[in-house]
Amino acid sequence: MKSSIFRRQRSDENRQPRFWRTTSQIQRLSPSPSPSSASAAVDERRGSTSLAKTSPYDPEAGPLGLHLIYTPETNHHVDIVFIHGLGGTSRRTWSKNGDPELFWPLKFLPSEPYICQARIFTFGYNADVRAAGNVSTSVLDFAKDLLFDLKYGKDGSKEDLKIGCAYMQGQNDPKYEMIIKAISAITFLATPHRGTNLAELLDRILRSSVFTNSKQYISELGKNSFTLQRLNEQFRHIAPKLDIISFYETQSTSIGLKSSRIMILEKDSSVLGYPGETSKALNADHHNVCKFHSPQDPNYVSVRNALQSLISKITSIASSHRSASDVRTKLAALRSLLAVKDLPDTDYSFFRDQWLQGTCDWILKEGPYQEWLRCSDSKSSLLWLHGGAAAGKSVLSSYIINSLTESKSCCQYHYFRFGDRRKRQSSLLFRSIAYQLALSKPDILQRMLELKDEAIEFDTADARIVWDRVFKRILLKMHGREAIYWIVDGLDEAEDPRTVIKLLLDTSASSTPIRILIISRKNSAIQSAFQKIPNELRFCSLSIEGHQEDFPFYIRQELNVAGDPDWKEDVVKQIVKGAQNNFLLPNGMQALYDRMALSIAQNPSTAARLLAYRILEYTTISSRVLTSTELSQAMHKDTSRMLDFQRSITDLCGGFVIIDNSACVAMVHQTAREYLFASADRPMHVDKAAAHKQTLLSSLRSLMAIGLRANIESGQMPAFLDYAACFWPVHLASSPAGDTEVAEALHRFLTGRWVLTWIQVLAIIDQIRVLIQASRYLASYSARQKYVDQKPDEKQDLVKQEAVKSWAEDLAKLAGKFGGILRQNPGSIYRLIPPFCPRNSAIYQQFGKMKDKSLVVSGFASHNWDDSLARLSFGLSTHATTIVAAGARLATLIPSGNVILHEASTFEETSFSPIRHGERIYRMEPNRQGTMLVTYGYHTTKLWDTRSGNCTLSIANVQSRPRPLALLLLDDQRLFLGSDDRLIRSLDLTSNAPHWQVYASLDEPELDGHFLNSPNRMAFNEDGTLVSVAYRGHPLSAWEVNGPAHIGHCWRTREVVARGEVIEAVWHPHQPEILGLYIEGVIFRWRPYDDDTEEIAAGASRLAMSKAGSLLVTGDVRGMVKVYNTADFCVIYQLTSENNILSLTFSPDLRRFYDVRGTYGNVWEPTALLKYAEQQTKDTESESQLGSLAQISVESAKFHGRVDAITVIAASPAGNLYCYGTERGAAYLYDTEQGKLVDLNAPKGFLSIEQLSWNEDGNTFAFSDSSKEVIVTMVDPAARTTNLVIKSQIKISVKATVDDPLTQLLFHPDSSQLLICSATSICTLALSSRSVQSSLHVKTTNGRWMVHPQNPALVIVVTPRDVRLFDWNLKLQQIIGMSLPAQTVPSRSTRPETVDKLLVHPGRKYVLVQVSPLNHSLRERRFFYFECPSGNKSEPKAEAIGPGYSSPNVVAIELDPDLSSQIILVFDFFSKDRLVYLSKQYSISEKIGAYFVLATEK
C-alpha cells in the first residue's frame, strides 16, 4: 500500500494554509505488498532533516520514522507525507530500479508548479516480511508511530511540524484533534482497501519458515478481513470531508517463477467506491505503480497532475476558510433541524462492497434507463426497476449511484431497510434527500434553515408535512437546467409506499428536471400507486428478472471447488439454472434456510446452540440494527469469555445474519426473518414474544446497572444504553401478557431511581419523545394485565398494576410540561422537577416529598395531572376574539386595535407586545414562520416584524372599504385579500410602491330559489389557488382563483327547513376538500371536484384544523371542546370548561391547542394529542397491540372548572404564612407547611383583589378589591390551627377619599397607620380609629412608595424623574431630581417608563429600582440603584417649593447589563452582596443568585 496525505495549515497557526499527502489506508496505515526494492540517497541540498528513530538504518532503504526531504525557500503552503507499503522502505518504494536519481518525491516534485510550495516528507516503518520481529505488531502500531512523529517532530529549524496524523487513529484520540482538522486530501497508490488473497498465502509461508515468523499486520490484510472492514467503515464517515484520489494497477506482477505473473490487486480492492472519489488507472504492475523513469513518464504525469489539482484546490479553499466554516455550521444546524441522524452512505457502501466488477453493466445499455438518464427536455421522469427477493436490487442501486456520482451528476439517494425501524419512515426519505441536496446546493441552504421558525418537529412530522414545507415550497421551485437524480431503494420495505409515490408524483411541477429511480419488489400496492401518473411526468418501468448476466460472475467468484475449467463452467451453468434469479438461494429459499437452520440445530455444543438462538432472538426483533458491541453488551453473560465476538456471530448463526462494514449485525434478508418466525416445526424457530421479553429484560438490566448515573455524568455511556433507553417500551408491548418475570423487572425499574436515570439519558440523547411512546406502551401493558388471571398475591399484583398505570400518565405529562427544561438540564429530573408535579403522581410520591428535598412547592389547584398547560390573561377590560399560532409565537387579536404576542414556549408576552395598529382591526394573518404579521384595519393594512415589533409597511385600504373575509400571506411576498364585494385583491410586498390590485372577480350566479347577498365567509387554500365563498342565503361555492373558474356548490345531505349558513370553512392542506361548520353546529366535509359531501352533528360554534390536516378541533358556547380525526370524524379527546369559546387553533407540532374566551385564553396539552402526534411515526409490530388512537372513543369528557387567576400574592416577612387574592375576589391565607388555613374573603365574581401588603412584623396584612374596600387582618403567626390564626379583621371603604384604582398599600413600621395610594391621590388610615387621618391629591402615576430606610417617620415615592419625601401626615418634605441613564434602544427612548419595584439594600443606604416601559411588557425592565437621601434636611420648606424651584439631583447607576438581562423577577437581597432573582432559565437558588456589590461600597 502506498498513499499520500495533504494537509492545509490551520487558521490558528502563524503560517499560510498547508496541505499534505500520505499513502496509507487513509491513515489506517495498513501496509500492502510493496513494489520492488531500490536504493536511495539523501539530498542534503534541500535541507533534508531526519526525524527517524535513533536505531541505525540502511541508507539505501531510507530512515525509519518521519523524515523531511524538501523545504521550499519561501513559506510553504502544503505538507506532503509519503508512506510506503508492506515490504517497502521510505526510499526504495519511490525509486525506479533503486536509482537514487529517480527518487521522484525529491528529484521530480520540487520542480513542479504548485508542488514546489509544499514541504515533502517520507515516513518509514519496519514492514520487512522477511525479518524476524514481534509477531503481534499490528497496523495500529504503525499508525501510532506516525501519529507521534507528526505531532512532536521538528523540522531543520526546530519548528514544530504539526502536519497531521494517522487519520483514523487521530479521530479517536483527543490530543490529535487540532491537527486532524487540517487534513484535506489523501491519494492512494494501489492500496488494498478490501485486502488481498495473497496476504493469506504469504502468512502461511511465513508460518512454515524456520527463519521468519508470521506477522499480525499481514493477516490483517487478508481478503475482507475484520480489521480492514472496521477501518473501511470508520473511514467511510470521515471520507466526505476529504478529497480522495485512488490509482490502481492494470498489469500483472511477476512473482519470480519464470514468466509467471499475477494481479496483486484488482480494481475493486484498490478503489473505495465512495461518492466523490476520483479513481484512475496506471499502466504499471504492483511493483512499479509508484516508480517512474522520468518526469515525462505518463504514470508520473497522472500522479503529478493529481497532486497539483489537489494543492491548487486546497490553497484556494484556505482563502475562503471562514466562509466554508460558516457553511459547515449551517449544515450542522440543518441536519439537526431535519433530524437526519445518519446519512445513507453506510447502506450505500455496504451494498457497494458486495458489487463485483463486471456485474450490473447491463443496466447502462437498457433503453428505458438511457432515456431516464439522458432525456433532453426539462420534464421530470420516473423509472421503476422491480425484481424479486434477493435479486440483487440494492447492489444494482449502489452501482447506479456510483455511476451517477462518477459522472459528477447531482445525486441523492435513500435505502429503506425493513430491519431498522427508523429507516422505514417515509418522512426520513424526504428529510435525508433534502439534506443531501443542501450539501450539493448551498444556495438553498439558507431557505431551508428558515423552516426553523415554523416550529415543526421534523423528527415526528408526517411525510406530507415534510414534502409540503421543504419540497413544494422550496426545492421544487428551484430553477436550474441541470437534472437532479434521486435513487430510492427498497420502497416495498417503507411503512407507506403509496404515500411516497403519491408525493413524488408532484415533481411533475418542478422547475428543475428531477429524475427519480425507484427500486423495489413488485407488489399490488406499488403497482396501483403507479396507475395515476400525471402526463407531465415521464414514466417507465423495467424488470430486472430477465437479466441473468450477473449470476455467472457472482457464482464464479464464490465457487471454490477443484476441477478442470470445463467442469467448473458446467457447475456454474447448473447453479445459474437453479438459482431462479436469486443471489441468495439456489434451489429455493425454503430448502436453503432449512439447511442453514439444521447446521445450527446440529451443533454438538449446547452452549453454542443457545448462543446462536440468543443472537437470532435479538437480531430478528430489534427495532433497529444493533452493532456487535451493543449486541455483546446486551448478551453480556453469554459473550463475556469470547475473544472475537464478531467472528463467533458469523460462525454460529449459519448464514442467517451478516455483519456489515459498520459492525452492525443484521438479518441476511427479510425472508430469513420471516422463515425464523414461521412454524415451530422447522429446525430453527424464534418465538417472537419470548424474544421481545429477552430484549426487554436485557434493556432494563442495562438501565439498572450499578454506577450508571455516575458513568453518564462523566460522559461514559455504554453502547447498548442508547438502544435500551429508546426501545424497551416497544419490547414491553410485545412481551407475553401476565409474565411474572417481566412484571417484577418492570416494577423494580419504575419504583427505583433508575426510572429517573432513564429519563436523564433520554434528555441527553435528545429523545424526550420516547417518554410519550413509553406512556402509550405502559398504558397498553396495564390494560392487558387486567385480563390476566390474578396470581395468589392479588393485592401485590394490584399495587404493581397501579404503579404502571400511574407512570403511564406521568411520562406523557413530563414530556409535555417539562420537556424543554429537561433538554436544557437533564439532571433536573432528580430534584427540581418532582416537587412541581401533582401530589398524587407517581413521580411526586416517590421522589418529590423526600426528606432531603431542597425545593418545596405548594398551592396546587389539583392533586392530579390536568390538561391545562397555561392561561393567557388579557385583562378584565380587554376582549380578545381571535388567536393564531405560527412558528414560535402566539398572536391574539383585540379588535379595538391591538395584537398581543406571546412566546409559544414560555407563554411570556414579548417585550414589544402589544402591537398597536392605531385603529380598529378586522383581521390578522401571520406567515408560517411567525416572523411576519399582517393586520387589516379600518383605514390601513400594516405589515409587522414580530421579532422586533416594528411596522415594516403601511398601505391604505381601498376607498370603498369592503369588509375583509380572508387574508393569505403567500411566500412572504404577496398578500391576498378576499372581501365581501366578491373580489380578490393582491398586494405585492416586494414592490417599492405596493398598492392593491384586483386579482380575480367571483361573479357568482344566483340560483333559483335562493337569495344571493354579500358573502359572509371566505377561505383560501394554502397556495392561494382555490377559494371558498359562503353566503347567508346561498350554498357554499368553490372557485379556482386563476381564471377564475367556478367549481361547484355544496349541497346539504338531507332535507332541512333552513339551508344552513356556513359560519366556518377551511381547506384541507393536502387535498382539494373543505371542512366547515353550519350555524346549527353541523360539521361537513365537501370535495368540490367530486361533489361529495359528509355531515356530522357536533353542536359546535367554532372550528379549526391542524396544519397537517389530520385533526379538527371544535368549540361551543358552553365551553365544550372536541378534537376529531379528519379521516373519519372520530372524537379522540373532549373537555368541558366555562365560558363561550370565540377562537381555536392548533400548535404547529400538533401537541397543543389554544382557545380564546374573551378576557383570557387557555393552552391545552392533552395526553391524547401527545400520543397522537407520536403515532404519526409508528412503525413497529407492537403498534398492532395498541390499535389506532383514531378509533378510540372517549370514555368521558374531562371537566376543567374556571380558573380563578391569582392577581396578587405576598409572603409574611416572618414565619411561614403567605396570602393571595384572585380575579374573582377571593382571598386566602396559607402556611407553607400546612397548606391553606383560612378563606379570608368570599369571591364576588366581579370585584378582583388588587393590592396586598404585610407589615414588617408579619402579624398584620391588608388587601383591597376593585371597589376600593380595604380589609386589614391581624394574625398570630405562631398559631398552628385555623381557629387561632385570625385575631381580628376590619373593613374600610376609601372610595370617597381616593380617586382612581388603588395602586399600593403600605404599613407604618409600628403598624399604627396604613398608607393607601392611587395614581393621583394618597391617604393615611389610622388603624386604631378605623378612619382616614390625612389625604392629599398628588400625581405619582409612574411611581412607587416605600418607608424611608433610615427614617421611619418619612415615606418616599420614587418616579423616573424624581424622589419625593413625605411625612406620615402627607406633608412634602423634600424633592430631589433623578436622572436615569438613557435607554440603549433608540426606538424605545421616547417611551415613558414606570417604576415597578423598590428594594432596600441590607446596608439601608441604597435603593434598587426596577423600571419598565409604561403599558408594555415587563420583559424590557431595567435596574438602577441610588443613594437614598437622608431625610434630615429641613430645606426646602414645602411652601418654598414652586414651579421655578430647582431641586438637587441624585445619580442613578445602572446595574450590570449582563446581570439585568437575565432577570425575570427580583425577589430580595439575600445578604449584603447577593441578589436573589428568577432568571430567564427559570432558576431560583442561592447558587443562582448573582453577586451584587455596589460600586460605591467597594
Side-chain angles (χ1 to χ4, degrees), residues 832-1084:
L832 299 181
I833 290 177
F836 283 94
C837 298
R839 296 298 182 263
N840 292 339
S841 64
I843 187 171
Y844 179 84
Q845 290 293 319
Q846 294 175 212
F847 310 109
K849 59 179 184 179
M850 301 176 68
K851 294 182 179 179
D852 62 343
K853 59 187 177 183
S854 57
L855 180 64
V856 178
V857 182
S858 60
F860 284 97
S862 172
H863 292 310
N864 299 301
W865 294 106
D866 60 36
D867 295 332
S868 176
L869 188 61
R871 178 175 176 178
L872 310 175
S873 295
F874 310 129
L876 293 176
S877 60
T878 302
H879 188 79
T881 59
T882 307
I883 187 169
V884 293
R889 292 171 183 83
L890 297 173
T892 308
L893 176 64
I894 314 299
S896 58
N898 295 339
V899 176
I900 300 175
L901 296 177
H902 287 88
E903 298 290 348
S905 57
T906 63
F907 310 114
E908 287 184 284
E909 196 171 338
T910 61
S911 58
F912 37 79
S913 175
I915 286 178
R916 303 176 186 276
H917 187 98
E919 61 187 6
R920 184 170 184 81
I921 305 175
Y922 292 108
R923 299 192 74 86
M924 67 175 177
E925 180 73 13
N927 66 347
R928 287 189 172 276
Q929 295 83 6
T931 56
M932 295 171 58
L933 182 74
V934 173
T935 54
Y936 189 97
Y938 184 70
H939 293 285
T940 59
T941 299
K942 295 184 178 181
L943 181 66
W944 305 85
D945 184 340
T946 60
R947 295 164 293 190
S948 63
N950 295 328
C951 179
T952 59
L953 182 66
S954 180
I955 298 295
N957 295 337
V958 295
Q959 292 185 352
S960 60
R961 295 196 182 91
R963 187 162 62 96
L965 302 179
L967 290 172
L968 175 66
L969 258 176
L970 193 59
D971 296 333
D972 298 348
Q973 297 180 345
R974 183 174 293 274
L975 176 65
F976 286 98
L977 166 69
S979 53
D980 64 353
D981 56 3
R982 283 183 267 177
L983 295 178
I984 295 177
R985 296 177 173 86
S986 70
L987 190 67
D988 185 358
L989 302 179
T990 63
S991 171
N992 293 328
H995 59 281
W996 289 107
Q997 294 180 316
V998 174
Y999 190 81
S1001 177
L1002 308 179
D1003 298 324
E1004 181 84 38
E1006 184 172 329
L1007 300 175
D1008 293 338
H1010 297 79
F1011 175 68
L1012 183 65
N1013 50 16
S1014 297
N1016 67 329
R1017 287 286 186 280
M1018 277 189 180
F1020 292 105
N1021 72 338
E1022 286 203 337
D1023 59 8
T1025 58
L1026 300 173
V1027 66
S1028 64
V1029 187
Y1031 306 86
R1032 288 182 177 84
H1034 206 264
L1036 179 71
S1037 286
W1039 293 76
E1040 291 181 352
V1041 175
N1042 294 327
H1046 187 262
I1047 303 173
H1049 293 99
C1050 179
W1051 300 99
R1052 299 299 298 269
T1053 59
R1054 60 186 187 278
E1055 293 295 331
V1056 290
V1057 176
R1059 294 185 178 88
E1061 176 186 345
V1062 175
I1063 58 174
E1064 295 279 4
V1066 59
W1067 287 89
H1068 194 283
H1070 303 305
Q1071 44 200 353
E1073 67 178 34
I1074 301 171
L1075 286 92
L1077 192 63
Y1078 287 112
I1079 194 169
E1080 67 268 27
V1082 173
I1083 300 174
F1084 69 89

Side-chain angles (χ1 to χ4, degrees), residues 591-654:
L592 179 63
Y593 285 150
D594 282 341
R595 289 196 298 273
M596 292 162 59
L598 198 60
S599 69
I600 300 174
Q602 292 179 346
N603 192 313
S605 170
T606 303
R609 291 197 304 272
L610 179 60
L611 181 60
Y613 182 76
R614 287 280 181 255
I615 293 172
L616 292 176
E617 278 188 322
Y618 285 103
T619 310
T620 52
I621 54 85
S622 59
S623 292
R624 66 163 172 79
V625 291
L626 297 171
T627 66
S628 58
T629 303
E630 289 176 323
L631 185 58
S632 177
Q633 292 181 4
M635 304 173 59
H636 176 66
K637 292 184 179 180
D638 297 321
T639 64
S640 57
R641 297 183 180 180
M642 290 188 176
L643 298 179
D644 192 339
F645 182 55
Q646 286 194 24
R647 188 176 296 276
S648 298
I649 293 173
T650 56
D651 291 344
L652 292 173
C653 295

Side-chain angles (χ1 to χ4, degrees), residues 720-740:
F720 184 60
L721 187 63
D722 179 281
Y723 184 91
C726 292
F727 295 110
W728 73 259
V730 176
H731 298 296
L732 174 67
S734 299
S735 295
D739 188 277
T740 304

Side-chain angles (χ1 to χ4, degrees), residues 1428-1445:
C1428 185
S1430 64
N1432 295 324
K1433 298 179 181 180
S1434 57
E1435 296 292 332
K1437 300 291 184 182
E1439 56 271 15
I1441 299 175
Y1445 173 72

Side-chain angles (χ1 to χ4, degrees), residues 613 617 621 676-677 685-692:
Y613 182 76
E617 278 188 322
I621 54 85
L676 292 173
F677 284 155
H685 169 71
V686 173
D687 185 320
K688 191 180 298 185
H692 280 289

